[in-house]
Amino acid sequence: MLKQIQGSQGVAQAIALCRPEVICAYPISPQTHIVEALGALTGSGKLEDCEFINVESEFAAMSVAIGSSVAGARSYTATASQGLLFMAEAVYNASGLGLPIVMTVASRSIGAPINIWNDHSDSLSQRDSGWLQIFAEDNQEAVDMHIQAFKIAEELSIPIMVCMDGFVLTHAYERMDIPTQEQVDAYLPPYDPRQKLDVNHPVSIGAMVGPEAFTEVRYLFHHHTIEALQAIEKASEDFEKAFGRKSGGLLSPYKIEGADTIVLALGSVIGTIKDTIDEMEKEGKKVGLIGIKSYRPFPDKQLAELLKGAKKVVVIDRALQVGIGGVVTDDVIRATRKMDLDIFSVIAGLGGRPITKKGLKDVFNKAMNGELEELYFLDLDKELVEKQLKREKEDRHTGPLAEAVVRDSVSITFTVGNRLLDPSQRSGQANIERFNSLNSGHRACQGCGEALGARYTVDAAMKATDGNLIAANATGCLEVFSTPYPETSWQLPWFHSLFGNTAAVGTGMAAAMRVKAKKNGGPLVRVLAQGGDGGTTDIGFGCLSGMFERNDDVLYVCYDNEGYMNTGVQRSSATPPAVRTATTQIVGSHPGNAFGQGKEVPLIAMAHGIPYVATASIADLRDLERKVKKAMTFHGARYIHVLVPCPLGWGAASKDTVKLARLAQESGLFPVFEAEYGEITNVTKIRKLAPVEDYMKLQKRYAHLFGPKADQSALIRIKAIAERNIRRFGLLGDERSEPMPPAVQADERADRL
């Protein structure tokens, strides 16, 4: 059936037609729309007999897929960029165990510096992981390749990545022919795993292999991967017979007959190259193209056969081996080592830089005229690079490389908030009473609770330390809106860590500052680590617990907006029950986020017995400032959990941000308290108890709980949560009726300090 839809939606529908049994989801752009759509299909019952699991990290996503696959279920997940790197250990594990998992990689650059746009550095970084890798030219091929992928992987018992260019394809709307369920069922047989955990036939999978057999095991793995060349080609041929169109396969030649110069490429740039070749043909210039569809295994012999008549080969590489050159070029050189060819590596499109017909035509002309360098960077600003290299020779302290480069770019201004403005035009925030550590000029949404919370938190910490403070910041909204390259709104030493390691980075910073203070004297520089709820309660939770357990001298602040807002409002383990998000849709018998899940990280922090734990809200900024200042009087691990409503993600008016924070507190849904060494020392009482409904009705994410078809049982259960908090923390009375015992290690730490 022909449909004009987004690439991600087309892929999701294709995957659903393959009848997966377990889907693991963790949000990272640009693949997120795929798993969101699959979550909706699963929740609504349109995708039957399938478990959709929201996990806490990409590593967990691959690990869940490993578990489900080894238990005999058809398994799928998706990722991109840093997420693929984060799951790398499990990626190798899955292939080494021969588990036929299908994974979409929405190809995106990898940092640092952070960049969310498309190139192939993520997918190609895993070229030696043992996974098959096939690359889609357009969205129709992406749809078709996913259907073929399950067939290929399950026939060989080898996992496979279907790589499609992030944003360029995932977010593009095209006409696609989506097959019927009957067509896919006829093409793709029911899953019959070659190995699985079966109570009727017990086996051990993943046992240790010693030196006496490891080489043989790896050779067999290599042998089966080479066999995949035939399997990929056959799957493509069978697909063409069943569906009437050619998709996938190993290589796709275009106008190579009689061409001395042939271009090699993979991914969506193939379309642009075809257009360029057509234009040059009209000018009487003959250039051919071979699109690489199967990258792992690499079709060496098949490529060499197609290149027999060529004299020059131009490889368009969208990933760079730093210090070497193009990634794909090395495979081409190996495949053609016995042939007399001039091979050129053209590095193009890094970090999403457009690859234009003009630029390609210039490269192809240079190759034909013998003027192309062996390693060539398309559209490289050499003048800019030379200025930076000259500066580095003259000055050792040139600062961060990425920021230093743009100093010479006439089209970009490096700024820190109010510095661009005349003093008379600066915001009211810029005054002598404040440090203005998070200055104006950032890109936060109107009414952003996180911007407000961070501004007061960091200023209070700066004041408490007399400016002797450095900060680490997890990937997320705060990092994105405060540092849109090449600008920054921070006016303290600030470092962008990864999504899940901010607490550990903070630990390293604190250790360095202690050493420096001991060696050089002077005041001890303190450390603030910051993250959103996703980076804190999910992907960063392991590092955070380690920081607590070691009692490292770091203040960690979680700005909790109850979801992954930066990637499009997906569920985190801080998302409340019944809430609608992109991965907990309003479908099925129990719409919204499930009850009985999630983490109460402040209580977990208390269980570690650390010196200071507090919750706070932007409804009372003075209380937040007081708690930050108090936290800085302690040494050791400290944790503050701040509720920061997100108008966009919550579906609320921007003017109601502070009101929502206040109602969350006054209804009992968000208790505000302090604890020292595992024991609660102070609780902010509710001044006037607010109905839970008053809080919820201001937010569209709860809209399904009201109206004639509302699920009253969900509302009753949410009220029960508020009532339990009131009893548990004594939010109305003088005493808590359910006291919480301190952690066992709290007394020892208090005595030692």
Side-chain angles (χ1 to χ4, degrees):
M1 179 184 296
L2 291 176
K3 297 182 179 180
Q4 184 80 14
I5 54 177
Q6 188 190 58
S8 293
Q9 298 296 319
V11 168
Q13 292 180 28
I15 292 162
L17 291 170
C18 295
R19 301 186 186 277
E21 296 168 296
V22 177
I23 297 170
C24 322
Y26 187 77
I28 182 170
S29 297
Q31 65 80 19
T32 313
H33 289 181
I34 299 172
V35 293
E36 288 175 358
L38 287 167
L41 290 169
T42 305
S44 65
K46 293 179 181 178
L47 176 53
E48 299 176 337
D49 302 320
C50 181
E51 289 270 345
F52 182 85
I53 304 174
N54 283 297
V55 295
E56 70 276 10
S57 70
E58 291 90 356
F59 180 79
M62 181 52 60
S63 301
V64 170
I66 288 171
S68 61
S69 183
V70 81
R74 181 173 280 170
S75 304
Y76 170 82
T77 190
T79 193
S81 188
Q82 314 294 137
L84 182 59
L85 298 189
F86 193 67
M87 63 167 64
E89 181 184 3
V91 165
Y92 275 76
N93 188 240
S95 61
L97 295 173
L99 302 175
I101 299 164
V102 173
M103 175 166 65
T104 305
V105 177
S107 295
R108 182 188 126 182
S109 64
I110 52 178
I114 189 170
N115 178 292
I116 67 166
W117 290 274
N118 166 245
D119 62 27
H120 293 158
S121 53
D122 55 356
S123 48
L124 296 188
S125 75
Q126 301 303 303
R127 60 191 178 276
D128 298 327
S129 65
W131 282 59
L132 308 181
Q133 292 183 318
I134 54 179
F135 280 77
E137 176 182 342
D138 53 35
N139 277 326
Q140 182 65 68
E141 191 163 55
V143 166
D144 299 345
M145 278 184 165
H146 279 87
I147 298 170
Q148 295 176 36
F150 283 99
K151 189 180 185 75
I152 296 164
E154 292 167 7
E155 173 62 28
L156 300 167
S157 201
I158 299 176
I160 186 168
M161 298 181 196
V162 183
C163 306
M164 60 187 299
D165 287 352
F167 296 111
V168 178
L169 295 183
T170 57
H171 287 57
Y173 281 77
E174 296 184 45
R175 189 176 71 166
M176 286 166 269
D177 188 356
I178 307 298
T180 65
Q181 187 66 67
E182 291 74 22
Q183 286 177 306
V184 175
D185 287 344
Y187 173 80
L188 179 64
Y191 182 35
D192 181 21
R194 289 178 177 265
Q195 57 172 339
K196 65 177 180 178
L197 298 176
D198 186 344
V199 295
N200 296 316
H201 304 282
V203 295
S204 297
I205 300 175
M208 180 178 287
V209 177
E212 68 280 1
F214 192 78
T215 298
E216 287 72 20
V217 170
R218 297 303 292 177
Y219 174 80
L220 287 169
F221 186 31
H222 168 75
H223 177 80
H224 294 319
T225 301
I226 297 301
E227 285 185 326
L229 290 167
Q230 294 180 350
I232 291 169
E233 194 64 42
K234 186 176 186 304
S236 175
E237 292 170 356
D238 291 346
F239 188 91
E240 186 175 10
K241 293 175 184 176
F243 297 91
R245 60 178 175 270
K246 175 70 174 175
S247 273
L250 302 176
L251 300 165
S252 178
Y254 183 75
K255 297 186 176 181
I256 63 172
E257 297 81 6
D260 291 339
T261 301
I262 293 180
V263 182
L264 301 182
L266 40 77
S268 62
V269 73
I270 290 174
T272 309
I273 295 172
K274 286 180 177 178
D275 291 343
T276 306
I277 288 174
D278 291 344
E279 290 185 7
M280 294 183 70
E281 187 178 41
K282 294 176 182 178
E283 300 170 3
K285 299 174 182 177
K286 185 67 175 175
V287 178
L289 164 70
I290 299 175
I292 300 171
K293 301 305 174 76
S294 170
Y295 181 66
R296 285 291 183 267
F298 194 81
D300 298 58
K301 294 178 181 178
Q302 294 83 351
L303 179 62
E305 182 66 27
L306 290 176
L307 289 174
K308 276 186 175 179
K311 296 179 180 178
K312 299 176 180 179
V313 176
V314 178
V315 185
I316 304 298
D317 251 308
R318 301 204 61 198
L320 172 66
Q321 298 178 92
V322 177
I324 299 175
V327 175
V328 181
T329 302
D330 280 3
D331 294 280
V332 175
I333 291 172
R334 185 174 60 252
T336 61
R337 59 190 178 277
K338 296 180 180 180
M339 302 174 68
D340 184 16
L341 290 171
D342 291 330
I343 300 175
F344 306 94
S345 180
V346 177
I347 309 299
L350 298 184
R353 178 171 290 187
I355 302 176
T356 64
K357 289 189 291 183
K358 179 182 178 182
L360 290 172
K361 189 177 292 187
D362 179 60
V363 165
F364 301 161
N365 280 323
K366 284 181 177 179
M368 296 171 74
N369 297 331
E371 300 170 353
L372 187 62
E373 301 168 32
E374 187 174 314
L375 176 61
Y376 182 79
F377 287 78
L378 183 63
D379 295 333
L380 179 70
D381 189 335
K382 292 186 177 180
E383 182 181 352
L384 195 65
V385 170
E386 290 298 328
K387 284 185 178 180
Q388 175 60 18
L389 293 174
K390 182 175 182 292
R391 182 185 296 115
E392 290 174 3
K393 289 181 179 179
E394 297 172 349
D395 183 4
R396 178 177 178 81
H397 303 103
T398 57
L401 180 61
E403 284 72 16
V405 167
V406 300
R407 291 173 188 167
D408 296 315
S409 174
V410 296
S411 61
I412 302 175
T413 302
F414 183 74
T415 175
V416 182
N418 278 330
R419 290 183 184 179
L420 282 181
L421 301 177
D422 183 89
S424 63
Q425 296 179 304
R426 294 179 182 176
S427 68
Q429 176 190 346
N431 63 69
I432 198 170
E433 300 297 325
R434 304 199 65 85
F435 277 88
N436 304 304
S437 306
L438 177 60
N439 214 331
S440 63
H442 57 67
R443 312 289 177 84
C445 301
Q446 187 177 26
C448 174
E450 188 168 27
L452 185 60
R455 170 189 160 193
Y456 276 81
T457 294
V458 181
D459 267 10
M462 287 284 281
K463 190 169 185 178
T465 60
D466 196 26
N468 293 303
L469 184 75
I470 59 176
N473 209 126
T475 301
C477 279
L478 180 59
E479 167 262 323
V480 170
F481 73 64
S482 65
T483 57
Y485 183 79
E487 299 174 0
T488 177
S489 290
W490 296 102
Q491 297 198 88
L492 80 163
W494 178 94
F495 178 75
H496 170 219
S497 64
L498 297 175
F499 202 4
N501 70 349
T502 308
V505 168
T507 294
M509 288 178 167
M513 289 302 141
R514 286 194 299 274
V515 171
K516 295 295 183 182
K518 184 177 180 180
K519 289 175 64 176
N520 304 328
L524 175 65
V525 175
R526 308 295 297 279
V527 176
L528 169 68
Q530 309 179 103
D533 51 287
T536 302
T537 70
D538 285 347
I539 194 170
F541 184 70
C543 287
L544 182 67
S545 178
M547 187 199 95
F548 290 161
E549 181 270 328
R550 294 185 299 270
N551 203 28
D552 296 322
D553 190 21
V554 177
L555 169 59
Y556 190 104
V557 178
C558 172
Y559 302 109
D560 182 7
N561 53 26
E562 301 182 339
Y564 288 91
M565 303 308 173
N566 180 50
T567 54
V569 194
Q570 295 86 23
R571 175 202 180 272
S572 77
S573 59
T575 302
V579 159
R580 179 192 66 190
T581 71
T583 49
T584 56
Q585 296 279 358
I586 310 305
V587 292
S589 56
H590 299 288
N593 193 33
F595 282 83
Q597 297 183 358
K599 302 186 188 83
E600 294 184 84
V601 176
L603 301 186
I604 296 173
M606 288 173 57
H608 285 75
I610 63 176
Y612 185 74
V613 175
T615 62
S617 163
I618 60 166
D620 190 343
L621 293 169
R622 299 297 173 232
D623 179 64
L624 172 60
E625 287 184 314
R626 180 186 66 79
K627 287 172 176 173
V628 172
K629 292 175 182 176
K630 183 175 181 179
M632 298 310 294
T633 66
F634 290 87
H635 285 269
R638 292 141 288 143
Y639 179 77
I640 299 179
H641 195 100
V642 188
L643 182 66
V644 290
C646 171
L648 183 65
W650 292 17
S654 57
K655 66 181 178 62
D656 288 334
T657 301
V658 174
K659 182 179 181 180
L660 283 167
R662 183 172 63 252
L663 287 172
Q665 180 178 338
E666 296 295 317
S667 65
L669 286 173
F670 186 81
V672 177
F673 63 90
E674 294 175 273
E676 298 178 23
Y677 301 103
E679 292 192 76
I680 290 180
T681 57
N682 181 49
V683 174
T684 300
K685 306 294 184 180
I686 293 175
R687 291 173 293 180
K688 182 180 179 182
L689 184 63
V692 169
E693 294 90 336
D694 288 0
Y695 168 69
M696 298 169 65
K697 286 181 178 179
L698 292 174
Q699 308 169 58
K700 291 180 181 178
R701 61 179 184 162
Y702 285 115
H704 58 288
L705 299 184
F706 301 95
K709 297 182 179 180
D711 181 3
Q712 293 299 317
S713 64
L715 188 58
I716 292 170
R717 294 174 74 179
I718 293 172
K719 289 181 179 179
I721 293 171
E723 291 166 359
R724 182 172 184 267
N725 285 338
I726 290 171
R727 294 193 307 272
R728 192 180 198 185
F729 293 93
L731 299 178
L732 289 177
D734 295 331
E735 298 293 334
R736 288 180 284 117
S737 59
E738 297 181 15
M740 288 169 284
V744 293
Q745 68 269 43
D747 292 340
E748 179 186 347
R749 284 184 171 169
D751 292 340
R752 186 169 70 247
L753 292 171

